[in-house]
Amino acid sequence: LWTLKHEALVMGVSYSEDSSLVAICCDNKITKVWDLRTYDNVMTLDGHTNSVSCCSQNNFVLATGSFDKTIRISDLRTGNLLLHFGWSYFPCIISLIFSKDGF
């Protein structure tokens, strides 16, 4: 058993398809990615302006949704932001999931 300690409230968790990585999104506007083989924090993603409420992984891509009404899609190999978009007519983004075919 391994315990991850976060300074903020955990809002969502997403595992990679091979269960080697876990992404944990928190109410402090940050998502941390952990390598479950080494127990190292391999990436910290920021950029949301409100709590990160949900996340979903597909291969080397991580999508995060937030109470700031945006979705950010990042490359898990580099940490680079690939896409950022939002909806003004939704109060917040509370759920995300990639389909099995990757879209």
Side-chain angles (χ1 to χ4, degrees):
L1 180 65
W2 181 50
T3 303
L4 292 171
K5 295 188 179 185
H6 285 269
E7 301 80 36
L9 178 67
V10 173
M11 303 290 286
V13 175
S14 175
Y15 290 91
S16 60
E17 290 181 21
D18 65 358
S19 298
S20 65
L21 298 175
V22 62
I24 300 174
C25 52
C26 297
D27 73 343
N28 64 352
K29 310 174 198 169
I30 291 177
T31 300
K32 289 190 176 188
V33 180
W34 298 84
D35 186 323
L36 294 177
R37 297 166 295 201
T38 63
Y39 305 112
D40 290 329
N41 175 213
V42 295
M43 191 173 301
T44 299
L45 300 170
D46 58 10
H48 283 291
T49 60
N50 206 329
S51 300
V52 185
S53 54
C54 53
C55 54
S56 181
Q57 295 183 55
N58 187 14
N59 296 323
F60 297 107
V61 176
L62 175 69
T64 57
S66 171
F67 284 96
D68 66 9
K69 304 179 186 181
T70 68
I71 295 173
R72 298 173 66 87
I73 299 178
S74 302
D75 186 324
L76 285 171
R77 296 167 291 192
T78 64
N80 291 336
L81 181 65
L82 302 174
L83 187 61
H84 177 234
F85 53 97
W87 286 275
S88 61
Y89 49 86
F90 287 131
C92 63
I93 309 296
I94 59 170
S95 180
L96 294 171
I97 192 163
F98 281 104
S99 68
K100 291 292 181 187
D101 63 5
F103 297 101

